Amino acid sequence: EVRFLMAAVVVIIVAVPEGLPLSVTLALAFSMKTMARENNLVKKMHACETIGAVNVIFTDKTGTLTQNRMTVVATDVTPADRELLDTIGAVNSTAVWSGERTIGNPTESAIIKSLGSERTAQLRAEYATTNRIPFSSAYKYMVTAARNRATGAEMVAIKGAPEIIARLIGNTSFLATVASQQARGRRSIAAAVVEGSDFAEIKALLEQGEPLTGGRYVGSWFIEDPIRPDVPAAIAKCYGAGIDVAMMTGDNIKTGSE
């Protein structure tokens, strides 16, 4: 029985104190092998002891709790702006097609997947990118200036978190629709165009944190990322072991809560 084994170990340690470091090392080594069988890689042995004392787990959401298979399931756009929303999704993006799969930001990949590779290529062929402000989690938007190759018309497109876009263009009318989608656990990305200003003026206003003059809401994409099927059971097991689980995500709080 376990108690006899423990008693034997105690006797050995008392009799030969020099054996204590070896005993601890062997115990941790066996713990590493056990965790390896559970597909957990432990690089430092003392981590096994630390893990045994964990009472709170902080976990990422996308790709950890979810399958990282984002899919556009709905849009908020008028028929008149459908073409423009598709254009913004294709042009104001760094995701690319590689054969039948996409490479790049998962959110942007979901948007161009909803367009398809041929449609994405067609829209990108129509426009030449002239300037860009890359997406950053610090300000939660991305801006691209592009010129229509056929007509020479300039377009400045912006997409990002709906609440940020609403503040930048001074229009909150679409946030109710966005909130209803976020309440269903969907990630929301809003798109707008800025008319009557050149890129330098727009960039200066953004750097100063000022609203954009001439900004117009175009539409939004609503994206779902399915939960991994084994997640509910794993979380229940954690709670059963007295371990609290906290989710960390860059999504809107409503999306994360649902």
Side-chain angles (χ1 to χ4, degrees):
E1 291 186 9
V2 175
R3 65 175 182 273
F4 295 133
L5 176 62
M6 293 177 63
V9 171
V10 170
V11 170
I12 292 171
I13 292 173
V14 171
V16 188
E18 294 83 357
L20 179 58
L22 178 60
S23 301
V24 172
T25 302
L26 288 173
L28 293 177
F30 280 119
S31 297
M32 289 180 68
K33 291 184 64 176
T34 302
M35 295 191 70
R37 287 196 294 268
E38 298 291 333
N39 297 320
N40 296 307
L41 176 62
V42 178
K43 296 176 65 177
K44 298 181 179 180
M45 285 194 296
H46 64 76
C48 296
E49 183 180 3
T50 304
I51 291 172
V54 165
N55 52 28
V56 179
I57 293 176
F58 290 86
T59 175
D60 179 41
K61 178 176 77 70
T62 304
T64 303
L65 299 180
T66 65
Q67 300 177 27
N68 200 20
R69 296 171 56 189
M70 295 189 185
T71 305
V72 174
V73 294
T75 55
D76 172 40
V77 62
T78 63
D81 281 334
R82 177 81 258 180
E83 178 80 9
L84 182 55
L85 183 65
D86 289 350
T87 301
I88 294 173
V91 176
N92 190 22
S93 172
T94 56
V96 296
W97 281 93
S98 176
E100 296 183 355
R101 56 192 290 265
T102 57
I103 300 175
N105 180 281
T107 302
E108 294 182 341
S109 293
I111 293 173
I112 65 172
K113 280 180 182 177
S114 70
L115 299 174
S117 58
E118 293 184 4
R119 176 70 167 155
T120 303
Q122 173 202 340
L123 291 170
R124 289 180 174 177
E126 294 177 3
Y127 285 84
T129 300
T130 56
N131 274 296
R132 174 167 287 168
I133 299 175
F135 176 83
S136 168
S137 58
Y139 44 77
K140 296 185 178 181
Y141 60 76
M142 175 179 177
V143 184
T144 296
R147 182 181 67 257
N148 189 295
R149 299 181 191 273
T151 66
E154 299 283 343
M155 176 185 71
V156 179
I158 180 170
K159 79 175 193 304
E163 60 274 14
I164 302 298
I165 301 300
R167 177 180 62 81
L168 291 176
I169 65 175
N171 177 5
T172 61
S173 62
F174 62 93
L175 291 183
T177 301
V178 167
S180 68
Q181 293 288 336
Q182 290 173 335
R184 301 174 68 177
R186 293 173 175 174
R187 176 176 292 185
S188 302
I189 304 295
V193 291
V194 185
E195 301 166 338
S197 299
D198 62 28
F199 185 81
E201 293 174 353
I202 293 169
K203 185 176 181 181
L205 289 171
L206 290 172
E207 289 175 348
Q208 296 166 14
E210 298 291 332
L212 303 174
T213 55
R216 181 174 74 84
Y217 174 69
V218 175
S220 295
W221 299 275
F222 304 112
I223 301 169
E224 282 188 353
D225 188 7
I227 299 293
R228 290 180 180 271
D230 56 343
V231 164
I235 293 178
K237 188 177 292 186
C238 288
Y239 285 146
I243 301 172
D244 291 329
V245 180
M247 183 180 72
M248 304 174 69
T249 177
D251 268 335
N252 182 280
I253 188 171
K254 293 181 181 177
T255 302
S257 298
E258 294 300 322

